[in-house]
């Protein structure tokens, strides 16, 4: 059964059950900055899951293009991709668990033809801390469904520790069986919706993966293990909850949000072991085999990175709201995808000029009919990819020269690796490989810490921080901006250096500042921070800016929450007292006041949780 047929059968199946087929939305979110890319079919439906009336009714289904940034590092294991197509169906306060679980089982077994014996399911274990019970309702429904097939479905707990225990239904905690756009309950920002889910897994066969050399050979066998025996193919989420400041609350309606990856279903229906061998990938793999002199099975990782990344880049550039490679926001991911693919071309010893666009043409061939926008934009897509690829090969050489300068170092620092990444587009793997060849290590942890700051920046940019207010209020905005620098410096002195900026938003009335910290601040701590900021204001400290190379700024330990917003030269704002003691030193584009005495009295009006591990302070200047 080819993927076109699976897609068609799925939509027909749900249409017969009263669902309206809605089109796939753009990969770039609309009026929503929770994430940079649409990562699921439910993304564009959030307002309707929260109670708004959808013009097409209460039952919807579609095939949606999705991109998941979190999965970038996982590409290469034969089943993870960053771009994928999700088959989805929704009940907006209409049917619930019983219909959903029965229907999806029916679709998988009767329409796709999967054997019930090979299907295993998971349910939510419950979490008293957030006041949500274990999903016994789904367990009973599953028992009935399997029972009709003559399969006794035993429910078991702690399979991750005790193994399969001859179970068919498995309980898992927040990390596995809770779904929201941003993940488990603790990762959800205030206002986000989500709920427990029940997943269906397909058994690829024990022998296939639990072979002699498998790292999982001696660990207990369970559904969510990464060994490859079980593959998740269907996820029914019961979206019933919204996260509020004081915990989880029930939404006004009970919703179903179903998602299933088309590539994985196609892989199983076509009897393949890897998603890269199903018909949505195979022509791409064949093309890469043609261009290089290797076969897929000889260099699995590089083939998969190239195939996945070029496909994703083609879809993002060719999207209705197409995004080009750049240094910020979504464009930053497009750049990363193209450069990483180009670099893996080196692993396959592909010589000569640019070649990625040949791979992109295959992507357009496969998807042009289902997603006409990429066909329409195909020459633009190919040109853009070619341009970026050529640019990368140029900086690659310059970067290699820069890398040569680090020859004498034992360890490549996180900052140096981040510098190579930012300035010359060196993915961390490239730096690692090069370092390895010379017997050097790379401080990867420090590198990722630097990259964390990038993530913050991406969020900041998409949230549109520091949009200045009306002209007559601008002066106030500038004052608040300087006050945030004093606040961050004071927080770090009172709470420690682990505090980093997580976000900021300024209106003419107040400043709002998010920072990393894992608990509520005490009254004394808040007072101390306030006092420290006010002391700095009273001391009439000087605010000065200096332009310098990014590397110099980073090497001197300047706070750099926004560093990649700037190219190789940056502005550093320092706040210093008369004796020359530095109170704050941050990379920032400004503007700022000249002297802290202009600020007036600083007062914290609120300290609260923003999301897990992130606190939010609101403050005013009088
Ligand atoms: N929205 C359900 C899923 O992505 O699995």
């Amino acid at each position: 059964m080819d993927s076109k047929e699976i897609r068609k059968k799925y939509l027909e199946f749900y249409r017969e059950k009263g669902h309206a087929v809605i089109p796939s939305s753009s990969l770039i979110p609309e009026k929503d900055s929770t994430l940079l890319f649409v990562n699921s079919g439910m993304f564009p439906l959030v307002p309707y899951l929260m109670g708004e009336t959808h013009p097409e009714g209460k039952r919807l289904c579609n095939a949606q293009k999705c991109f998941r940034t979190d999965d970038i590092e996982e590409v290469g294991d034969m089943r993870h991709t960053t771009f994928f197509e999700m088959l989805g169906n929704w009940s907006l306060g209409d049917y619930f668990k019983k219909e959903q679980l029965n229907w999806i089982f029916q679709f998988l077994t009767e329409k796709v033809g999967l054997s019930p014996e090979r299907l295993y399911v998971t349910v939510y274990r419950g979490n008293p801390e957030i006041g949500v019970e274990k999903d016994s309702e789904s367990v009973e429904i599953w028992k009935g469904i399997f029972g009709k097939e003559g399969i006794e479905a035993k429910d078991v707990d702690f399979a991750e520790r005790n193994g399969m225990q001859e179970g068919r239904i498995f309980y898992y905690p927040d990390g596995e069986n809770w779904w929201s756009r941003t993940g488990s309950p603790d990762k959800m920002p205030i206002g986000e919706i989500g709920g427990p889910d029940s997943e269906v897994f397909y058994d690829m066969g024990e022998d296939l993966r639990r072979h002699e050399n498998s790292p999982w050979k001696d660990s207990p066998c369970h559904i969510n293990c990464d060994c490859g025996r079980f593959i998740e193919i269907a996820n029914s989420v019961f979206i019933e909850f919204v996260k509020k400041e004081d915990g989880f609350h029930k939404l006004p309606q009970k919703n179903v949000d179903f998602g299933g990856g088309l590539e994985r279903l196609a892989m199983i229906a076509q009897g393949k072991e890897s998603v890269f061998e199903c018909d949505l990938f195979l022509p791409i793999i064949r093309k890469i085999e043609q261009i290089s002199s290797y076969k897929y099975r000889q260099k699995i990782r590089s083939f998969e990175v190239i195939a996945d990344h070029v496909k994703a880049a083609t879809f993002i550039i060719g999207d209705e709201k197409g995004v080009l490679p750049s240094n910020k926001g979504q464009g930053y991911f497009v750049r990363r995808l193209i450069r990483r693919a180009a670099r893996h071309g080196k692993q396959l010893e592909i010589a000569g000029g640019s070649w990625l666009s040949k791979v992109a043409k295959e992507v357009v061939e496969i998807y042009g009919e289902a997603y006409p926008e990429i066909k329409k934009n195909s020459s633009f897509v190919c040109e853009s990819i070619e341009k970026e690829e050529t640019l990368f090969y140029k900086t690659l050489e310059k970067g290699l020269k820069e890398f040569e300068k680090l020859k004498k170092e034992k360890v490549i620092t996180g900052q140096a690796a981040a510098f190579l990444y930012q300035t010359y587009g060196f993915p961390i793997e490239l730096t690692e490989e090069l370092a390895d060849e010379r017997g050097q290590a790379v401080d990867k942890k420090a590198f990722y810490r630097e990259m964390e700051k990038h993530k913050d920046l991406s969020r900041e940019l998409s949230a549109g921080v520091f949009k200045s207010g009306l002209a007559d209020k601008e002066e106030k905005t500038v004052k608040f901006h300087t006050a945030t620098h004093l606040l961050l410096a004071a927080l770090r002195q009172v709470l420690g250096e682990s505090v980093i900026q997580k976000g900021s938003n300024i209106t003419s009335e107040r400043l709002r500042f998010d920072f990393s910290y894992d608990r509520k601040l005490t009254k004394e701590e808040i007072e101390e921070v306030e006092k420290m900021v006010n002391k700095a204001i009273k001391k009439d400290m000087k605010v000065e800016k200096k332009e310098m190379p990014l590397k110099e700024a980073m090497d001197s330990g300047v706070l750099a929450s926004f560093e990649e917003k700037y190219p190789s030269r940056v502005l550093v704002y320092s706040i210093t007292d008369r004796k020359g003691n530095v109170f704050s030193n941050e990379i920032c584009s400004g503007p700022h006041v000249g002297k802290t005495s202009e600020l007036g009295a600083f007062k914290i009006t609120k300290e609260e949780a923003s999301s897990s591990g992130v606190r939010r302070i609101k403050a005013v200047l009088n």
Side-chain angles (χ1 to χ4, degrees):
M1 194 185 294
D2 70 22
S3 52
K4 273 189 198 139
E5 203 178 334
I6 300 175
R7 196 192 282 127
K8 195 165 145 240
K9 280 194 171 172
Y10 175 79
L11 297 175
E12 259 167 22
F13 181 81
Y14 278 92
R15 203 196 319 251
E16 279 167 16
K17 304 216 175 308
H19 291 64
V21 181
I22 57 171
S24 169
S25 83
S26 156
L27 274 170
I28 315 301
E30 193 107 40
K31 286 186 260 154
D32 193 322
S33 53
T34 309
L35 296 170
L36 290 172
F37 294 97
V38 167
N39 70 348
S40 52
M42 66 79 92
F43 207 119
L45 297 173
V46 169
Y48 309 105
L49 293 162
M50 293 179 88
E52 262 181 47
T53 308
H54 194 283
E56 303 272 352
K58 291 183 170 182
R59 296 183 179 197
L60 309 171
C61 65
N62 80 354
Q64 166 72 44
K65 41 186 184 175
C66 300
F67 179 72
R68 290 193 177 172
T69 54
D70 293 354
D71 289 339
I72 282 194
E73 301 295 333
E74 310 225 33
V75 176
D77 67 355
M78 301 171 86
R79 57 170 149 169
H80 274 94
T81 60
T82 58
F83 173 88
F84 65 101
E85 213 178 320
M86 185 181 277
L87 302 176
N89 63 268
W90 295 274
S91 156
L92 305 174
D94 188 4
Y95 61 85
F96 205 45
K97 296 183 182 178
K98 187 155 182 218
E99 293 86 344
Q100 173 56 27
L101 298 180
N102 272 283
W103 288 344
I104 200 59
F105 187 84
Q106 193 189 349
F107 171 72
L108 292 172
T109 53
E110 290 175 20
K111 304 289 171 182
V112 187
L114 306 185
S115 156
E117 289 288 346
R118 291 217 174 216
L119 302 182
Y120 290 79
V121 300
T122 63
V123 294
Y124 186 53
R125 182 181 285 158
N127 180 356
E129 271 177 35
I130 61 166
V132 181
E133 288 175 6
K134 81 172 177 186
D135 189 1
S136 308
E137 192 184 342
S138 292
V139 172
E140 288 316 306
I141 299 167
W142 280 125
K143 287 191 174 196
I145 292 171
F146 281 107
K148 274 190 240 154
E149 303 291 333
I151 298 170
E152 194 205 334
K154 188 175 153 199
D155 56 313
V156 306
D157 209 353
F158 297 104
E160 65 271 39
R161 194 179 63 209
N162 302 333
M164 299 286 285
Q165 307 159 70
E166 297 180 338
R168 179 70 58 175
I169 305 167
F170 300 89
Y171 297 93
Y172 282 95
D174 290 350
E176 282 82 19
N177 279 71
W178 178 281
W179 202 89
S180 80
R181 288 183 297 182
T182 52
S184 49
D186 58 329
K187 298 209 180 83
M188 289 164 66
I190 303 296
E192 188 65 26
I193 57 171
D197 69 45
S198 182
E199 303 174 5
V200 181
F201 285 73
Y202 185 80
D203 186 356
M204 303 279 290
E206 195 164 1
D207 307 339
L208 189 69
R209 305 295 177 127
R210 294 183 72 78
H211 52 76
E212 263 310 288
N213 302 324
S214 164
W216 293 278
K217 186 163 53 87
D218 300 318
S219 49
C221 194
H222 77 109
I223 307 286
N224 271 308
C225 169
D226 284 329
C227 76
R229 174 177 168 191
F230 294 100
I231 183 160
E232 184 206 324
I233 51 172
N235 185 15
S236 302
V237 191
F238 305 114
I239 300 207
E240 272 193 275
F241 297 97
V242 57
K243 186 170 179 174
K244 296 202 174 159
E245 311 240 330
D246 60 347
F248 283 84
H249 290 248
K250 284 251 166 116
L251 283 164
Q253 64 190 40
K254 290 179 172 182
N255 306 287
V256 172
D257 160 38
F258 172 79
L262 177 61
E263 294 81 353
R264 289 182 177 189
L265 274 183
M267 163 186 118
I268 293 166
Q270 292 160 20
K272 307 288 189 189
E273 282 176 32
S274 159
V275 287
F276 291 89
E277 287 172 331
C278 84
D279 62 340
L280 291 166
F281 268 110
L282 200 57
I284 306 174
I285 294 290
R286 292 277 176 266
K287 190 75 196 176
I288 305 169
E289 286 180 337
Q290 247 177 41
I291 298 171
S292 76
S293 47
Y294 286 97
K295 292 272 170 243
Y296 167 53
R297 291 275 165 172
Q298 289 174 295
K299 293 265 186 185
I300 290 177
R301 193 172 160 76
S302 289
F303 267 83
E304 295 186 357
V305 167
I306 295 167
D308 169 76
H309 287 16
V310 175
K311 188 192 275 197
T314 303
F315 268 92
I316 300 172
I317 301 171
D319 190 271
E320 302 90 314
K321 295 196 223 156
V323 173
L324 287 170
S326 75
N327 264 342
K328 58 184 184 185
Q330 287 112 342
Y332 186 58
F333 278 95
V334 187
R335 169 155 290 168
R336 193 169 163 191
L337 291 166
I338 297 173
R339 292 185 175 205
R340 191 140 176 251
R343 212 269 301 174
H344 275 272
K346 301 270 171 226
Q347 307 287 90
L348 301 184
E349 297 166 45
I350 299 174
S354 52
W355 55 276
L356 289 178
S357 60
K358 290 185 199 158
V359 181
K361 282 197 185 105
E362 282 303 321
V363 177
V364 176
E365 270 303 305
I366 300 172
Y367 288 98
E369 202 182 309
Y371 297 94
E373 65 275 13
I374 64 164
K375 193 167 180 180
K376 197 177 106 205
N377 298 330
S378 77
S379 26
F380 176 67
V381 169
C382 289
E383 277 163 30
S384 312
I385 289 180
E386 221 172 285
K387 220 161 121 188
E388 179 64 19
E389 190 186 0
T390 312
L391 199 68
F392 177 58
Y393 293 143
K394 272 193 203 140
T395 59
L396 185 64
E397 273 164 38
K398 282 194 211 145
L400 286 173
K401 278 190 201 134
E402 188 69 30
F403 187 79
E404 269 309 295
K405 294 186 198 157
L406 304 168
K407 199 156 54 188
K408 294 203 187 89
E409 312 293 328
K410 253 207 180 105
V411 177
I412 311 273
T413 64
Q415 284 187 347
F419 180 69
L420 284 167
Y421 188 90
Q422 287 153 8
T423 314
Y424 303 106
F426 271 37
I428 185 70
E429 308 96 318
L430 176 58
T431 304
E432 271 190 300
E433 276 159 17
L434 292 168
D436 199 44
E437 279 165 21
R438 286 205 308 223
Q440 294 169 297
V442 179
D443 187 348
K444 251 176 105 174
K445 260 199 185 145
F447 170 79
Y448 283 116
R449 272 202 303 275
E450 294 294 327
M451 299 318 283
E452 268 301 304
K453 297 176 189 166
H454 284 236
K455 271 201 214 150
D456 296 338
L457 176 80
S458 318
R459 270 183 227 125
E460 298 279 326
L461 288 174
S462 69
V465 189
F466 293 147
K467 277 193 203 109
S468 52
L470 300 170
D472 58 335
K473 304 255 178 77
E474 244 164 27
E475 198 188 80
K476 192 81 184 175
T477 312
V478 174
K479 285 183 185 172
F480 277 132
H481 189 184
T482 306
T484 60
H485 282 224
L486 295 178
L487 173 60
L488 175 60
L491 285 167
R492 287 170 64 92
Q493 283 191 45
V494 175
L495 305 174
E497 304 254 303
S498 69
V499 170
I500 57 167
Q501 177 166 346
K502 284 287 184 185
S504 162
N505 172 286
I506 292 173
T507 69
S508 54
E509 265 81 42
R510 55 116 184 94
L511 71 84
R512 197 181 78 196
F513 189 76
D514 292 355
F515 60 95
S516 55
Y517 202 58
D518 57 6
R519 62 160 171 84
K520 192 165 178 52
L521 271 56
T522 62
K523 198 165 151 263
E524 290 74 28
E525 285 166 339
I526 293 176
E527 281 170 2
E528 206 185 334
V529 169
E530 232 173 46
K531 223 160 92 192
M532 206 173 269
V533 172
N534 280 316
K535 216 164 136 191
I537 292 173
K538 280 222 185 75
K539 275 193 179 170
D540 196 16
M541 294 185 175
K542 253 196 312 199
V543 184
E544 287 173 304
K545 75 173 167 194
K546 211 171 127 189
E547 198 194 309
M548 61 176 84
L550 175 67
K551 193 169 184 306
E552 189 185 319
M554 282 166 77
D555 285 347
S556 66
V558 160
L559 283 179
S561 319
F562 298 99
E563 77 275 16
E564 90 277 26
K565 195 171 177 180
Y566 308 102
S568 47
R569 293 187 73 79
V570 293
L571 285 180
V572 172
Y573 275 87
S574 58
I575 305 180
T576 338
D577 71 12
R578 285 194 194 131
K579 291 185 200 138
N581 297 317
V582 179
F583 187 77
S584 155
N585 216 2
E586 271 190 61
I587 293 182
C588 176
S589 61
H592 285 281
V593 301
K595 288 150 109 200
T596 56
S597 61
E598 291 174 44
L599 300 184
F602 175 82
K603 174 123 197 70
I604 293 176
T605 53
K606 199 159 192 180
E607 192 281 331
E608 62 189 349
S610 160
S611 61
S612 166
V614 179
R615 308 295 303 177
R616 169 168 290 178
I617 279 180
K618 288 185 184 155
V620 294
L621 290 168
N622 294 314

